[in-house]
Amino acid sequence: MAPRATPVRKAGKRRVARGVKPDAAALAYWATLGDLCEACGTTGTVVHHILANAPGKGSRRDHMLVVKLCPDCHNMKDGSVHLLGSEAAFLRVRGVDLVQIAIDRRDEYLMGELL
C-alpha cells in the first residue's frame, strides 16, 4: 500500500459550553459551605451544582444552588449522584435530599447578606 499523500488531520477536542463561570459573590458563598461532604461527612469536597428543578433556580448551572460532596458521593462510586443520574435517585438510594440542603443553605446565606 502506498503512503498517503496528505497527512490525516486529527479532529480537535470541542469544548463543551458549561455556562458562566462563578463570580466573586458565588465564590464567597462557596467558601462559607465548609469542607464536609453533605452526604457522608468526609472532608476533601467538590462543589456539586443542583441540576434538578428547584424553587428560585436560575440557569442550568446556578452557582448559588450547590452542595459540597466528596468525590465518592459526587461521581466516583456506584452510589454517587452523577452515576445514579439525578438528585432524586440519590435521595431514594442514599436518603439525603441534596436539593433541599442546597435551597436551605442558599436561603440562609442570602438572608444573612440582607441583614
Side-chain angles (χ1 to χ4, degrees):
M1 180 173 224
R4 192 184 250 319
T6 58
V8 176
R9 219 174 97 194
K10 291 183 180 179
K13 289 184 179 180
R14 289 179 51 179
R15 292 184 59 102
V16 177
R18 302 248 185 227
V20 179
K21 290 187 178 185
D23 59 9
L27 294 174
Y29 169 59
W30 292 1
T32 67
L33 296 177
D35 193 36
L36 291 179
C37 176
E38 293 290 349
C40 67
T42 61
T43 59
T45 59
V46 295
V47 173
H48 170 70
H49 290 81
I50 300 299
L51 299 178
N53 290 329
K57 183 171 184 271
S59 64
R60 178 179 181 271
R61 211 172 276 275
D62 187 338
H63 295 303
M64 295 299 285
L65 198 60
V66 298
V67 292
K68 292 281 193 97
L69 295 174
C70 69
D72 288 344
C73 293
H74 187 236
N75 62 359
M76 299 300 280
K77 289 201 173 175
D78 288 339
S80 68
V81 66
H82 282 285
L83 293 180
L84 289 171
S86 69
E87 287 89 7
F90 192 82
L91 173 60
R92 282 193 305 275
V93 172
R94 302 284 299 270
V96 179
D97 191 350
L98 298 177
V99 176
Q100 192 60 51
I101 292 170
I103 291 169
D104 291 346
R105 300 229 183 217
R106 177 199 62 194
D107 292 350
E108 287 172 13
Y109 178 78
L110 292 176
M111 288 302 294
E113 289 289 304
L114 294 175
L115 298 178

